[in-house]
Amino acid sequence: MSTTEQGMTHDELMTLPVAIPLETANRALHLGRTTGYHLARTGRYPVRVLRHGRAYKVSRYDLHRHLGVAAEQEARADSSAE
């Protein structure tokens, strides 16, 4: 099974650094390498892409927001506070 088929677990998503390489974001979004880089180059990547020299990076915040992880985390916090 390839890494694009595996995606990422919730725990993996929660431990990502603030800025992550496009390869890692591709894995979280279930995108292949070629597709991910094509979308980034053409400005159609699902989340905002940051250019750092020749490298593409994605912010953890944007990725979490797109995947609904932040909303899920807030819902857990709200339910545990009751």
Side-chain angles (χ1 to χ4, degrees):
M1 184 180 277
S2 73
T3 57
T4 56
E5 291 174 8
Q6 290 178 1
M8 293 184 103
T9 66
H10 183 269
D11 289 340
E12 288 175 313
L13 286 169
M14 297 312 293
T15 59
L16 289 172
V18 174
I20 57 173
L22 195 67
E23 289 282 333
T24 304
N26 288 343
R27 182 174 162 221
L29 295 168
H30 298 273
L31 294 173
R33 184 179 194 280
T34 303
T35 300
Y37 277 94
H38 174 73
L39 293 173
R41 274 193 315 275
T42 59
R44 297 182 307 166
Y45 202 76
V47 297
R48 181 174 48 129
V49 175
L50 310 168
R51 194 74 192 258
H52 188 71
R54 292 186 58 194
Y56 292 106
K57 300 249 181 185
V58 172
S59 81
R60 176 183 62 204
Y61 173 80
D62 290 339
L63 183 63
H64 281 187
R65 215 166 144 200
H66 179 77
L67 294 172
V69 174
E72 181 181 306
Q73 194 69 13
E74 289 169 11
R76 284 187 191 159
D78 288 345
S79 66
S80 66
E82 294 176 354

